[in-house]
Amino acid sequence: KRAAAALAASSNATSSAGSGATPSGNPSAPTSGEPLDPDREAKRQKRRDYRERKKLKRQAGLFVKAQDNPNVYVSGLPPDVSVKELEPVFKRAGVLKVDPETGDAKIRIYM
């Protein structure tokens, strides 16, 4: 009888530990000290890192939402266009940023 009771008690302990069940009954919630699935933990860490980088960029003023982006991108310009030609055209639309190093209008032309 003692052997049967001990066997039953050990099988109950191993079945509840092996099934991943927690005291709350939620099989996906890990118990304290139980490691998470490595893939899930990697995804969680990746999300934490992304949020931290985004927070730091926002604090530094580098993160600009798309609807708040003040930059204007124009395509289809002729290859021989210059900044001197574009500045008066863009000024009619509003105030231009000023390059702090040169003092000129902050216009970049990419070909």
Side-chain angles (χ1 to χ4, degrees):
K1 289 183 177 182
R2 280 185 170 166
L7 181 60
S10 68
S11 68
N12 285 343
T14 57
S15 68
S16 67
S19 68
T22 59
S24 65
N26 185 354
S28 63
T31 58
S32 61
E34 183 178 322
L36 289 174
D37 177 33
D39 292 335
R40 277 183 83 184
E41 184 59 34
K43 285 182 182 180
R44 283 184 177 179
Q45 187 60 42
K46 188 175 179 180
R47 280 193 300 265
R48 281 187 213 115
D49 293 343
Y50 172 75
R51 286 187 203 116
E52 185 64 26
R53 285 192 312 270
K54 191 173 177 181
K55 180 180 168 186
L56 291 172
K57 284 182 179 180
R58 188 174 290 130
Q59 288 173 350
L62 300 175
F63 184 81
V64 179
K65 291 182 181 178
Q67 64 266 25
D68 297 337
N69 188 350
N71 299 331
V72 176
Y73 299 92
V74 180
S75 62
L77 295 172
D80 62 343
V81 71
S82 71
V83 174
K84 300 285 186 222
E85 294 172 322
L86 290 177
E87 187 174 355
V89 175
F90 289 164
K91 274 191 176 178
R92 284 189 278 164
V95 178
L96 299 176
K97 289 182 179 179
V98 176
D99 189 0
E101 295 174 7
T102 63
D104 294 335
K106 199 168 189 178
I107 299 174
R108 304 288 181 254
I109 300 175
Y110 301 100
M111 299 287 173

